[in-house]
Amino acid sequence: MVLKFDAIFGDKLVLPIGKSFGVSGWSAVKSKIEVSVGQQNRTTISSKTGRWHVQFDPINDGLQVYSIRATDGTDSISLHELRFGLVLLLAGQSNIEYEMKDDSEYQFAKQQDSQSAIYYYNVPKIEYVGEDGTVLPDDLPVSRWKQLSSENMGELSAIGYWMSQSLKRRLPGTVIGIVDCYKGGTSISSWVPKSTLENNALLAKTFVKPFEVATSGKTDEDYQSELHMYRQKVAQHNYDLATFQAAHPDVSLSDAKKKVGHTPWPPPMTPTSFLRPGGLYQTMVRQIRGYTFNQVIWYQGENDAQQPDVYQTMLAKLIQSWRKMLADLSLIFNVIQLPGYADEPFESWAKIRQAQLSIAQMIPNVNLISGSDTGERHNIHPTSKRKLGERIGRLVSNQGYSQTPLVIETKLKGNDVIIGIGQVNQLKIDSDTKMMIKIGNEWVPRQVKKLDEQHIILKDCSGAAAVRYQYVNYPEMTIFNELGDPLTPFSCRIGIGG
């Protein structure tokens, strides 16, 4: 095998400043590999599969441009224009995949943007790799590191673009590196190792068994027939939507889809489907396994509305497996809490938001960034990503709060419920704000009053056992901190944290 770096290691790459980092690649089996960066030199022996990896001490210079050189004694390869800065991994499904060229402010941003110290790499969206090495799709473009400019910004995640601009303002002089690893329409079950699902009875029942049933005992003709029927449904939907829009040109896309319905999803399951359990972990996530990151931005959950009750378990498994794969057990994860969207099963998105909140409270180095005040009632893909993207940039910049407001304490004092809120110095509450308390088997509303700048009070709550705030699919947020970040929707027993 010819000596080479992993594909993500290319010219113009960015690695974390002040953090130990790795470099990895492939060679002939059991070869002696020497790798150098700056004044550091490392030597290793490639494995029986030909894989090699070396680890370097932190480099604290964010101004100098470096090269990486590797040799096996016969061949030498080099990478150029290596910089050190803040490196962020953006991952998940369609709302973080949503490209800047489709953002409602794209033309404005394109006119304003100038070349800056922001670089990005899009992980190839490989869906399946056959035993013979066949890759699907077979027409994927070659990915490489690019410096962000007005000419290429359209292919970057819109969330990532607005995040990068927020970071550029807050961290002038810091090089920003963004790695995109996402694919729309995916369940979280596609992003974890298949063995993780198989080793948990509940997850195996929820994800692995249905896949096996859907792909057992079928011929190629059966799959083609199912795909044909699915495409017919999509074509009919698109025709109906176009007809409705032509007849009602003043109606928004969101309201048109409310009338006509949403695009049929998911497509039929096949053995090569990217929706298969563990599929994208194997074909996409493992492409970055030798890289080093400062933080992860995880924005996903929309496609798990049919099984929200297992989302907390799944998210914990994902964080655990990714940290292990990246050999960074304290890697910071920023979980983006789902925005508002009404057209899902009753309370399904509320349950996923609650799972995201619970994981942020349970697992160290997991931050919750709520998008609950964004979104559109009947459009699962809001066209404006600026508000949430800029919020993410502010919170990951390590200047001030690291997450949005959340409940840290609930207690019953006499007949009142006192709720303590973190990540806030000055509460802002709409005058008609209410929360729901549970008395017996009934949820009843109570007016919210500000007790002080970090606490609220609900009066007349004798016998209350639990409290909820905007625990619905499409929340209408009325409690914020001084920066305009919303208090996350929550549901919890009184007497514990949110």
Side-chain angles (χ1 to χ4, degrees):
M1 180 181 292
V2 176
L3 178 66
K4 61 182 180 179
F5 295 105
D6 282 343
I8 193 173
F9 291 94
D11 294 342
K12 298 185 179 181
L13 75 163
V14 183
L15 286 165
I17 190 169
K19 184 174 183 177
S20 176
F21 63 94
V23 177
S24 57
W26 298 87
S27 70
V29 172
K30 299 297 183 179
S31 295
K32 180 181 179 181
I33 310 298
E34 298 179 6
V35 188
S36 62
V37 178
Q39 300 302 310
Q40 299 187 53
N41 298 281
R42 297 290 185 270
T43 301
T44 189
I45 303 297
S46 61
S47 72
K48 62 182 180 181
T49 63
R51 181 156 181 80
W52 57 265
H53 180 276
V54 291
Q55 198 73 17
F56 290 92
D57 295 333
I59 290 179
N60 296 302
D61 184 355
L63 298 177
Q64 184 175 341
V65 178
Y66 292 81
S67 294
I68 304 175
R69 181 177 183 274
T71 180
D72 61 3
T74 301
D75 296 321
S76 296
I77 53 176
S78 297
L79 299 175
H80 305 286
E81 296 187 58
L82 161 63
R83 294 170 173 84
F84 289 88
L86 177 63
V87 185
L88 303 168
L89 172 60
L90 275 61
Q93 63 172 112
S94 51
N95 271 311
I96 198 166
E97 179 188 46
Y98 195 91
E99 292 183 336
M100 187 60 195
K101 64 181 175 60
D102 297 317
D103 188 272
S104 60
E105 295 185 78
Y106 172 56
Q107 292 301 329
F108 166 79
K110 190 173 182 180
Q111 294 170 3
Q112 301 298 314
D113 190 73
S114 59
Q115 200 169 63
S116 58
I118 299 169
Y119 299 81
Y120 69 95
Y121 176 86
N122 292 333
V123 175
K125 297 176 184 177
I126 297 174
E127 298 179 3
Y128 182 79
V129 179
E131 293 183 1
D132 60 354
T134 301
V135 174
L136 298 176
D138 58 7
D139 58 351
L140 289 172
V142 176
S143 291
R144 67 182 189 275
W145 280 92
K146 298 179 183 179
Q147 185 174 13
L148 183 66
S149 68
S150 57
E151 285 72 34
N152 60 32
M153 61 184 287
E155 66 184 30
L156 183 66
S157 156
I159 289 286
Y161 172 80
W162 293 115
M163 177 192 73
S164 74
Q165 300 309 294
S166 178
L167 286 167
K168 183 171 69 173
R169 293 193 300 270
R170 289 174 169 79
L171 302 173
T174 299
V175 177
I176 308 298
I178 297 173
V179 174
D180 294 329
C181 184
Y182 40 55
K183 190 167 179 62
T186 52
S187 164
I188 191 172
S189 61
S190 298
W191 296 100
V192 299
K194 186 178 181 183
S195 59
T196 296
L197 304 172
E198 293 172 331
N199 293 335
N200 181 289
L202 177 60
L203 301 182
K205 178 181 178 181
T206 306
F207 299 108
V208 179
K209 296 301 181 184
F211 170 75
E212 292 175 347
V213 170
T215 57
S216 295
K218 292 182 179 178
T219 65
D220 288 342
E221 289 74 17
D222 293 330
Y223 291 124
Q224 290 300 320
S225 176
E226 290 177 351
L227 182 60
H228 177 71
M229 293 176 63
Y230 171 74
R231 287 173 174 169
Q232 284 186 318
K233 290 181 180 179
V234 173
Q236 184 63 53
H237 167 270
N238 292 341
Y239 174 81
D240 292 343
L241 181 61
T243 301
F244 181 86
Q245 288 180 302
H248 305 85
D250 296 330
V251 175
S252 68
L253 176 62
S254 174
D255 288 337
K257 286 187 174 182
K258 181 183 178 182
K259 180 69 175 180
V260 175
H262 295 269
T263 305
W265 190 264
M269 193 66 73
T270 69
T272 63
S273 171
F274 68 87
L275 300 172
R276 68 193 183 281
L280 294 180
Y281 178 86
Q282 188 66 31
T283 61
M284 289 187 68
V285 179
R286 285 182 58 80
Q287 292 186 56
I288 62 172
R289 65 189 183 277
Y291 216 73
T292 307
F293 302 93
N294 291 106
Q295 301 186 41
V296 178
I297 316 297
W298 174 254
Y299 187 176
Q300 190 276 336
E302 302 95 320
N303 216 61
D304 287 292
Q306 301 302 319
Q307 55 273 333
D309 294 328
V310 301
Y311 196 83
Q312 181 173 326
T313 299
M314 287 297 307
L315 184 53
K317 296 289 188 183
L318 180 137
I319 293 170
Q320 179 185 42
S321 62
W322 284 30
R323 284 176 170 173
K324 180 179 179 181
M325 180 201 68
L326 294 168
D328 189 348
L329 299 183
S330 60
L331 179 61
I332 295 172
F333 269 74
N334 300 278
V335 176
I336 311 305
Q337 194 181 47
L338 290 184
Y341 178 60
D343 300 335
E344 293 289 3
F346 178 68
E347 290 186 352
S348 59
W349 278 35
K351 291 178 179 179
I352 291 174
R353 289 191 202 99
Q354 183 68 28
Q356 294 167 328
L357 169 62
S358 297
I359 290 299
Q361 292 175 318
M362 291 168 52
I363 300 179
N365 294 320
V366 176
N367 299 319
L368 184 75
I369 300 179
S370 183
S372 55
D373 60 332
T374 65
E376 298 179 21
R377 183 179 292 273
H378 304 296
N379 183 9
I380 199 170
H381 299 131
T383 60
S384 176
K385 305 297 187 184
R386 182 173 187 168
K387 183 176 184 178
L388 183 55
E390 291 189 339
R391 176 179 297 163
I392 295 169
R394 169 166 49 82
L395 293 171
V396 303
S397 70
N398 198 30
Q399 297 180 345
Y401 301 129
S402 59
Q403 55 186 336
T404 47
L406 45 77
V407 169
I408 58 176
E409 179 186 28
T410 60
K411 62 182 179 181
L412 192 62
K413 187 175 182 180
N415 290 330
D416 303 332
V417 172
I418 309 297
I419 300 175
I421 301 172
Q423 315 299 312
V424 59
N425 284 319
Q426 186 178 358
L427 276 171
K428 298 184 179 298
I429 305 175
D430 290 358
S431 59
D432 61 346
T433 298
K434 291 181 174 61
M435 289 188 180
M436 306 296 290
I437 61 170
K438 189 175 185 180
I439 300 178
N441 293 319
E442 185 179 2
W443 289 96
V444 294
R446 289 293 184 269
Q447 189 74 28
V448 174
K449 299 292 184 182
K450 185 163 69 172
L451 185 62
D452 57 40
E453 297 300 349
Q454 287 84 37
H455 295 83
I456 58 178
I457 184 171
L458 311 179
K459 309 288 287 187
D460 188 24
C461 297
S462 178
V467 58
R468 283 182 171 180
Y469 169 64
Q470 292 299 322
Y471 195 78
V472 293
N473 286 345
Y474 187 77
E476 298 181 9
M477 311 312 297
T478 55
I479 303 176
F480 301 85
N481 67 10
E482 68 278 8
L483 300 178
D485 296 337
L487 171 65
T488 177
F490 70 91
S491 178
C492 71
R493 297 192 306 275
I494 294 172
I496 62 172

